[in-house]
Amino acid sequence: MNNMLSKMLQKLELESLEKVNPPPYTDWLSRHTKVNGAPMSFSNHHFQRAILNDLHPNMDVIKCSQTGVTEIQYRKALAIARRNQGRVVMFTLPDEDMRKRLVQTRVHPLVTDTPQFSVDGFDKPVRSIETVQIGRS
């Protein structure tokens, strides 16, 4: 079996297993996204695991300094949209300038560089500052 076919079969098997037994969001993000070219890691920020894996509809996080909470929360929002097709996810920020800055410098590069966010059958998803389409989400 050639290498390309083998990789395709591995990908199909992994996707099938994820549908039956979905991994926690921390595992999914570590497997499918990168930070500075390396797989996303929680080794220096263990507390982020609990925030990412908590799927309660109301979550309040009080933080004392820059701890990466915005980073993990927008990644979590994108992962929820990807893993639950047809969902609408709202992510709010304190003001327009912060929203523009976050979307242009972090969200758009992540969705562009991550194959998991390019869902089959959607060649030209909506990608604006207001809306980021992930498949049917």
Side-chain angles (χ1 to χ4, degrees), residues 22-30 40 42 45-57 59 61 72-73 75-77 79-80 83:
Y25 278 87
T26 49
D27 296 351
W28 191 91
L29 285 165
S30 294
M40 187 168 185
F42 303 95
H45 297 90
H46 296 285
F47 67 92
Q48 291 178 344
R49 288 183 164 281
I51 295 169
L52 273 170
N53 290 328
D54 186 339
L55 296 178
H56 191 278
M59 180 189 297
V61 177
I72 63 167
Q73 289 293 62
R75 286 174 181 262
K76 179 180 181 178
I80 288 170
R83 293 175 68 180

mmCIF file of all heavy atoms in Angstrom, residues 22-30 40 42 45-57 59 61 72-73 75-77 79-80 83:
data_model
loop_
_atom_site.group_PDB
_atom_site.id
_atom_site.type_symbol
_atom_site.label_atom_id
_atom_site.label_comp_id
_atom_site.label_asym_id
_atom_site.label_seq_id
_atom_site.Cartn_x
_atom_site.Cartn_y
_atom_site.Cartn_z
ATOM 1 N N PRO A 22 -15.595 10.606 21.232
ATOM 2 C CA PRO A 22 -14.869 11.865 21.049
ATOM 3 C C PRO A 22 -13.852 12.123 22.162
ATOM 4 O O PRO A 22 -14.163 11.926 23.332
ATOM 5 C CB PRO A 22 -15.960 12.931 21.057
ATOM 6 C CG PRO A 22 -17.230 12.262 21.379
ATOM 7 C CD PRO A 22 -16.998 10.791 21.457
ATOM 8 N N PRO A 23 -12.661 12.557 21.778
ATOM 9 C CA PRO A 23 -11.646 12.862 22.788
ATOM 10 C C PRO A 23 -11.961 14.191 23.475
ATOM 11 O O PRO A 23 -12.708 15.009 22.942
ATOM 12 C CB PRO A 23 -10.354 12.976 21.965
ATOM 13 C CG PRO A 23 -10.816 13.447 20.625
ATOM 14 C CD PRO A 23 -12.150 12.791 20.413
ATOM 15 N N PRO A 24 -11.393 14.422 24.656
ATOM 16 C CA PRO A 24 -11.558 15.729 25.302
ATOM 17 C C PRO A 24 -11.020 16.832 24.383
ATOM 18 O O PRO A 24 -10.157 16.587 23.535
ATOM 19 C CB PRO A 24 -10.704 15.624 26.568
ATOM 20 C CG PRO A 24 -10.473 14.171 26.775
ATOM 21 C CD PRO A 24 -10.558 13.520 25.438
ATOM 22 N N TYR A 25 -11.516 18.037 24.550
ATOM 23 C CA TYR A 25 -11.094 19.147 23.692
ATOM 24 C C TYR A 25 -9.588 19.395 23.779
ATOM 25 O O TYR A 25 -8.958 19.758 22.799
ATOM 26 C CB TYR A 25 -11.892 20.415 24.013
ATOM 27 C CG TYR A 25 -13.230 20.384 23.325
ATOM 28 C CD1 TYR A 25 -14.326 19.770 23.922
ATOM 29 C CD2 TYR A 25 -13.391 20.915 22.053
ATOM 30 C CE1 TYR A 25 -15.543 19.702 23.272
ATOM 31 C CE2 TYR A 25 -14.606 20.856 21.401
ATOM 32 C CZ TYR A 25 -15.676 20.246 22.016
ATOM 33 O OH TYR A 25 -16.884 20.174 21.361
ATOM 34 N N THR A 26 -8.996 19.179 24.956
ATOM 35 C CA THR A 26 -7.549 19.379 25.069
ATOM 36 C C THR A 26 -6.797 18.419 24.144
ATOM 37 O O THR A 26 -5.852 18.816 23.478
ATOM 38 C CB THR A 26 -7.074 19.172 26.516
ATOM 39 O OG1 THR A 26 -7.612 17.941 27.018
ATOM 40 C CG2 THR A 26 -7.491 20.312 27.406
ATOM 41 N N ASP A 27 -7.223 17.169 24.095
ATOM 42 C CA ASP A 27 -6.565 16.186 23.224
ATOM 43 C C ASP A 27 -6.786 16.525 21.755
ATOM 44 O O ASP A 27 -5.870 16.429 20.942
ATOM 45 C CB ASP A 27 -7.080 14.772 23.510
ATOM 46 C CG ASP A 27 -6.737 14.290 24.907
ATOM 47 O OD1 ASP A 27 -5.952 14.972 25.602
ATOM 48 O OD2 ASP A 27 -7.263 13.239 25.313
ATOM 49 N N TRP A 28 -8.017 16.920 21.405
ATOM 50 C CA TRP A 28 -8.332 17.259 20.017
ATOM 51 C C TRP A 28 -7.494 18.444 19.556
ATOM 52 O O TRP A 28 -6.905 18.414 18.473
ATOM 53 C CB TRP A 28 -9.829 17.555 19.870
ATOM 54 C CG TRP A 28 -10.283 17.648 18.446
ATOM 55 C CD1 TRP A 28 -10.760 16.624 17.680
ATOM 56 C CD2 TRP A 28 -10.291 18.807 17.612
ATOM 57 N NE1 TRP A 28 -11.075 17.085 16.416
ATOM 58 C CE2 TRP A 28 -10.796 18.419 16.347
ATOM 59 C CE3 TRP A 28 -9.923 20.134 17.792
ATOM 60 C CZ2 TRP A 28 -10.945 19.305 15.292
ATOM 61 C CZ3 TRP A 28 -10.069 21.024 16.736
ATOM 62 C CH2 TRP A 28 -10.573 20.606 15.503
ATOM 63 N N LEU A 29 -7.415 19.486 20.373
ATOM 64 C CA LEU A 29 -6.637 20.675 19.999
ATOM 65 C C LEU A 29 -5.137 20.360 19.929
ATOM 66 O O LEU A 29 -4.451 20.858 19.041
ATOM 67 C CB LEU A 29 -6.902 21.820 20.974
ATOM 68 C CG LEU A 29 -8.261 22.496 20.788
ATOM 69 C CD1 LEU A 29 -8.612 23.353 21.997
ATOM 70 C CD2 LEU A 29 -8.276 23.328 19.520
ATOM 71 N N SER A 30 -4.640 19.523 20.832
ATOM 72 C CA SER A 30 -3.226 19.136 20.782
ATOM 73 C C SER A 30 -2.917 18.359 19.513
ATOM 74 O O SER A 30 -1.853 18.498 18.922
ATOM 75 C CB SER A 30 -2.849 18.279 21.992
ATOM 76 O OG SER A 30 -2.937 19.027 23.165
ATOM 77 N N MET A 40 -0.102 22.102 20.016
ATOM 78 C CA MET A 40 -0.561 22.807 21.210
ATOM 79 C C MET A 40 -0.279 21.947 22.440
ATOM 80 O O MET A 40 -0.547 20.747 22.442
ATOM 81 C CB MET A 40 -2.051 23.113 21.095
ATOM 82 C CG MET A 40 -2.560 23.987 22.195
ATOM 83 S SD MET A 40 -4.193 24.582 21.825
ATOM 84 C CE MET A 40 -4.417 25.659 23.206
ATOM 85 N N PHE A 42 -0.111 21.841 26.971
ATOM 86 C CA PHE A 42 -0.584 22.420 28.225
ATOM 87 C C PHE A 42 0.417 22.185 29.342
ATOM 88 O O PHE A 42 0.087 22.301 30.515
ATOM 89 C CB PHE A 42 -1.949 21.814 28.588
ATOM 90 C CG PHE A 42 -2.956 22.017 27.500
ATOM 91 C CD1 PHE A 42 -3.170 21.042 26.554
ATOM 92 C CD2 PHE A 42 -3.641 23.216 27.394
ATOM 93 C CE1 PHE A 42 -4.065 21.239 25.526
ATOM 94 C CE2 PHE A 42 -4.540 23.425 26.366
ATOM 95 C CZ PHE A 42 -4.751 22.435 25.431
ATOM 96 N N HIS A 45 0.810 25.228 31.454
ATOM 97 C CA HIS A 45 -0.458 25.835 31.874
ATOM 98 C C HIS A 45 -1.481 24.727 32.132
ATOM 99 O O HIS A 45 -2.496 24.624 31.453
ATOM 100 C CB HIS A 45 -0.977 26.789 30.792
ATOM 101 C CG HIS A 45 -0.078 27.947 30.535
ATOM 102 N ND1 HIS A 45 0.923 27.911 29.602
ATOM 103 C CD2 HIS A 45 -0.033 29.178 31.102
ATOM 104 C CE1 HIS A 45 1.553 29.075 29.596
ATOM 105 N NE2 HIS A 45 1.004 29.858 30.494
ATOM 106 N N HIS A 46 -1.240 23.923 33.134
ATOM 107 C CA HIS A 46 -2.103 22.775 33.419
ATOM 108 C C HIS A 46 -3.549 23.186 33.711
ATOM 109 O O HIS A 46 -4.479 22.453 33.393
ATOM 110 C CB HIS A 46 -1.544 21.956 34.583
ATOM 111 C CG HIS A 46 -0.215 21.338 34.279
ATOM 112 N ND1 HIS A 46 -0.098 20.246 33.453
ATOM 113 C CD2 HIS A 46 1.038 21.669 34.662
ATOM 114 C CE1 HIS A 46 1.182 19.929 33.337
ATOM 115 N NE2 HIS A 46 1.895 20.777 34.059
ATOM 116 N N PHE A 47 -3.745 24.356 34.317
ATOM 117 C CA PHE A 47 -5.090 24.816 34.660
ATOM 118 C C PHE A 47 -5.961 25.013 33.421
ATOM 119 O O PHE A 47 -7.192 24.966 33.509
ATOM 120 C CB PHE A 47 -5.024 26.133 35.451
ATOM 121 C CG PHE A 47 -4.509 27.292 34.630
ATOM 122 C CD1 PHE A 47 -5.395 28.108 33.944
ATOM 123 C CD2 PHE A 47 -3.144 27.542 34.538
ATOM 124 C CE1 PHE A 47 -4.938 29.163 33.181
ATOM 125 C CE2 PHE A 47 -2.678 28.599 33.774
ATOM 126 C CZ PHE A 47 -3.579 29.406 33.092
ATOM 127 N N GLN A 48 -5.337 25.222 32.251
ATOM 128 C CA GLN A 48 -6.112 25.437 31.031
ATOM 129 C C GLN A 48 -6.905 24.189 30.626
ATOM 130 O O GLN A 48 -7.945 24.307 29.986
ATOM 131 C CB GLN A 48 -5.197 25.857 29.877
ATOM 132 C CG GLN A 48 -4.611 27.232 30.038
ATOM 133 C CD GLN A 48 -3.670 27.589 28.906
ATOM 134 O OE1 GLN A 48 -3.211 26.724 28.153
ATOM 135 N NE2 GLN A 48 -3.360 28.864 28.780
ATOM 136 N N ARG A 49 -6.438 23.020 31.007
ATOM 137 C CA ARG A 49 -7.136 21.773 30.672
ATOM 138 C C ARG A 49 -8.568 21.781 31.205
ATOM 139 O O ARG A 49 -9.509 21.435 30.507
ATOM 140 C CB ARG A 49 -6.398 20.557 31.231
ATOM 141 C CG ARG A 49 -5.122 20.244 30.513
ATOM 142 C CD ARG A 49 -4.477 18.971 31.081
ATOM 143 N NE ARG A 49 -3.484 18.486 30.165
ATOM 144 C CZ ARG A 49 -3.725 17.800 29.059
ATOM 145 N NH1 ARG A 49 -4.946 17.509 28.729
ATOM 146 N NH2 ARG A 49 -2.753 17.407 28.276
ATOM 147 N N ALA A 50 -8.736 22.168 32.459
ATOM 148 C CA ALA A 50 -10.069 22.176 33.068
ATOM 149 C C ALA A 50 -10.983 23.172 32.355
ATOM 150 O O ALA A 50 -12.162 22.885 32.124
ATOM 151 C CB ALA A 50 -9.966 22.514 34.555
ATOM 152 N N ILE A 51 -10.450 24.314 31.978
ATOM 153 C CA ILE A 51 -11.255 25.324 31.279
ATOM 154 C C ILE A 51 -11.681 24.799 29.915
ATOM 155 O O ILE A 51 -12.841 24.933 29.523
ATOM 156 C CB ILE A 51 -10.465 26.646 31.142
ATOM 157 C CG1 ILE A 51 -10.200 27.259 32.524
ATOM 158 C CG2 ILE A 51 -11.206 27.628 30.245
ATOM 159 C CD1 ILE A 51 -9.223 28.414 32.524
ATOM 160 N N LEU A 52 -10.765 24.199 29.187
ATOM 161 C CA LEU A 52 -11.084 23.692 27.847
ATOM 162 C C LEU A 52 -12.056 22.528 27.869
ATOM 163 O O LEU A 52 -12.937 22.439 27.011
ATOM 164 C CB LEU A 52 -9.809 23.249 27.127
ATOM 165 C CG LEU A 52 -9.088 24.335 26.359
ATOM 166 C CD1 LEU A 52 -7.729 23.853 25.907
ATOM 167 C CD2 LEU A 52 -9.896 24.778 25.164
ATOM 168 N N ASN A 53 -11.935 21.646 28.813
ATOM 169 C CA ASN A 53 -12.782 20.459 28.838
ATOM 170 C C ASN A 53 -14.129 20.694 29.513
ATOM 171 O O ASN A 53 -15.003 19.843 29.452
ATOM 172 C CB ASN A 53 -12.053 19.293 29.500
ATOM 173 C CG ASN A 53 -10.917 18.791 28.625
ATOM 174 O OD1 ASN A 53 -10.985 18.845 27.407
ATOM 175 N ND2 ASN A 53 -9.863 18.321 29.255
ATOM 176 N N ASP A 54 -14.316 21.859 30.145
ATOM 177 C CA ASP A 54 -15.588 22.190 30.773
ATOM 178 C C ASP A 54 -16.548 22.700 29.703
ATOM 179 O O ASP A 54 -16.312 23.734 29.087
ATOM 180 C CB ASP A 54 -15.379 23.259 31.847
ATOM 181 C CG ASP A 54 -16.633 23.553 32.638
ATOM 182 O OD1 ASP A 54 -17.742 23.256 32.155
ATOM 183 O OD2 ASP A 54 -16.501 24.087 33.749
ATOM 184 N N LEU A 55 -17.631 21.979 29.467
ATOM 185 C CA LEU A 55 -18.590 22.354 28.425
ATOM 186 C C LEU A 55 -19.891 22.913 28.998
ATOM 187 O O LEU A 55 -20.907 22.960 28.312
ATOM 188 C CB LEU A 55 -18.872 21.151 27.521
ATOM 189 C CG LEU A 55 -17.652 20.664 26.752
ATOM 190 C CD1 LEU A 55 -18.000 19.434 25.927
ATOM 191 C CD2 LEU A 55 -17.092 21.762 25.870
ATOM 192 N N HIS A 56 -19.857 23.350 30.232
ATOM 193 C CA HIS A 56 -21.043 23.967 30.813
ATOM 194 C C HIS A 56 -21.390 25.213 29.993
ATOM 195 O O HIS A 56 -20.495 25.950 29.584
ATOM 196 C CB HIS A 56 -20.791 24.344 32.275
ATOM 197 C CG HIS A 56 -22.030 24.725 33.001
ATOM 198 N ND1 HIS A 56 -22.572 25.981 32.922
ATOM 199 C CD2 HIS A 56 -22.860 23.999 33.792
ATOM 200 C CE1 HIS A 56 -23.674 26.024 33.650
ATOM 201 N NE2 HIS A 56 -23.870 24.830 34.183
ATOM 202 N N PRO A 57 -22.680 25.475 29.747
ATOM 203 C CA PRO A 57 -23.039 26.625 28.903
ATOM 204 C C PRO A 57 -22.700 27.981 29.519
ATOM 205 O O PRO A 57 -22.566 28.968 28.803
ATOM 206 C CB PRO A 57 -24.549 26.480 28.695
ATOM 207 C CG PRO A 57 -25.016 25.549 29.756
ATOM 208 C CD PRO A 57 -23.847 24.686 30.129
ATOM 209 N N MET A 59 -19.834 29.826 31.775
ATOM 210 C CA MET A 59 -18.530 29.675 32.403
ATOM 211 C C MET A 59 -17.967 31.059 32.701
ATOM 212 O O MET A 59 -17.939 31.923 31.834
ATOM 213 C CB MET A 59 -17.564 28.932 31.478
ATOM 214 C CG MET A 59 -16.191 28.766 32.097
ATOM 215 S SD MET A 59 -14.951 28.122 30.972
ATOM 216 C CE MET A 59 -15.602 26.532 30.614
ATOM 217 N N VAL A 61 -14.513 32.894 34.153
ATOM 218 C CA VAL A 61 -13.108 32.676 34.473
ATOM 219 C C VAL A 61 -12.545 33.990 34.979
ATOM 220 O O VAL A 61 -12.594 35.005 34.275
ATOM 221 C CB VAL A 61 -12.308 32.199 33.234
ATOM 222 C CG1 VAL A 61 -10.840 32.049 33.583
ATOM 223 C CG2 VAL A 61 -12.884 30.904 32.694
ATOM 224 N N ILE A 72 -6.983 29.998 24.569
ATOM 225 C CA ILE A 72 -7.646 28.695 24.636
ATOM 226 C C ILE A 72 -9.146 28.806 24.395
ATOM 227 O O ILE A 72 -9.750 27.900 23.837
ATOM 228 C CB ILE A 72 -7.337 27.941 25.950
ATOM 229 C CG1 ILE A 72 -7.861 28.697 27.157
ATOM 230 C CG2 ILE A 72 -5.868 27.628 26.058
ATOM 231 C CD1 ILE A 72 -7.874 27.880 28.431
ATOM 232 N N GLN A 73 -9.749 29.931 24.769
ATOM 233 C CA GLN A 73 -11.190 30.047 24.589
ATOM 234 C C GLN A 73 -11.572 30.214 23.114
ATOM 235 O O GLN A 73 -12.549 29.638 22.664
ATOM 236 C CB GLN A 73 -11.765 31.189 25.424
ATOM 237 C CG GLN A 73 -11.767 30.880 26.915
ATOM 238 C CD GLN A 73 -12.705 29.756 27.291
ATOM 239 O OE1 GLN A 73 -12.568 28.612 26.869
ATOM 240 N NE2 GLN A 73 -13.679 30.074 28.114
ATOM 241 N N ARG A 75 -9.820 29.071 20.612
ATOM 242 C CA ARG A 75 -9.546 27.749 20.037
ATOM 243 C C ARG A 75 -10.664 26.766 20.398
ATOM 244 O O ARG A 75 -11.079 25.950 19.585
ATOM 245 C CB ARG A 75 -8.192 27.217 20.509
ATOM 246 C CG ARG A 75 -7.024 27.906 19.840
ATOM 247 C CD ARG A 75 -5.696 27.464 20.448
ATOM 248 N NE ARG A 75 -4.595 28.145 19.807
ATOM 249 C CZ ARG A 75 -3.857 27.628 18.824
ATOM 250 N NH1 ARG A 75 -4.088 26.410 18.387
ATOM 251 N NH2 ARG A 75 -2.875 28.317 18.297
ATOM 252 N N LYS A 76 -11.142 26.838 21.626
ATOM 253 C CA LYS A 76 -12.245 25.978 22.053
ATOM 254 C C LYS A 76 -13.496 26.284 21.223
ATOM 255 O O LYS A 76 -14.188 25.360 20.780
ATOM 256 C CB LYS A 76 -12.526 26.204 23.537
ATOM 257 C CG LYS A 76 -13.671 25.389 24.091
ATOM 258 C CD LYS A 76 -13.836 25.699 25.576
ATOM 259 C CE LYS A 76 -14.944 24.925 26.219
ATOM 260 N NZ LYS A 76 -15.023 25.229 27.664
ATOM 261 N N ALA A 77 -13.788 27.554 20.995
ATOM 262 C CA ALA A 77 -14.961 27.939 20.192
ATOM 263 C C ALA A 77 -14.851 27.377 18.777
ATOM 264 O O ALA A 77 -15.818 26.828 18.234
ATOM 265 C CB ALA A 77 -15.098 29.462 20.165
ATOM 266 N N ALA A 79 -13.059 24.750 17.859
ATOM 267 C CA ALA A 79 -13.146 23.291 17.946
ATOM 268 C C ALA A 79 -14.598 22.836 18.126
ATOM 269 O O ALA A 79 -15.021 21.845 17.530
ATOM 270 C CB ALA A 79 -12.273 22.777 19.096
ATOM 271 N N ILE A 80 -15.366 23.562 18.926
ATOM 272 C CA ILE A 80 -16.782 23.228 19.094
ATOM 273 C C ILE A 80 -17.499 23.343 17.756
ATOM 274 O O ILE A 80 -18.281 22.466 17.379
ATOM 275 C CB ILE A 80 -17.438 24.137 20.164
ATOM 276 C CG1 ILE A 80 -16.929 23.744 21.552
ATOM 277 C CG2 ILE A 80 -18.960 24.055 20.092
ATOM 278 C CD1 ILE A 80 -17.327 24.714 22.652
ATOM 279 N N ARG A 83 -16.306 20.328 15.522
ATOM 280 C CA ARG A 83 -16.720 18.996 15.967
ATOM 281 C C ARG A 83 -18.231 18.831 16.048
ATOM 282 O O ARG A 83 -18.714 17.721 16.157
ATOM 283 C CB ARG A 83 -16.093 18.712 17.330
ATOM 284 C CG ARG A 83 -14.573 18.580 17.238
ATOM 285 C CD ARG A 83 -13.944 18.415 18.585
ATOM 286 N NE ARG A 83 -14.299 17.128 19.174
ATOM 287 C CZ ARG A 83 -13.870 16.736 20.368
ATOM 288 N NH1 ARG A 83 -13.080 17.517 21.079
ATOM 289 N NH2 ARG A 83 -14.227 15.557 20.846
#
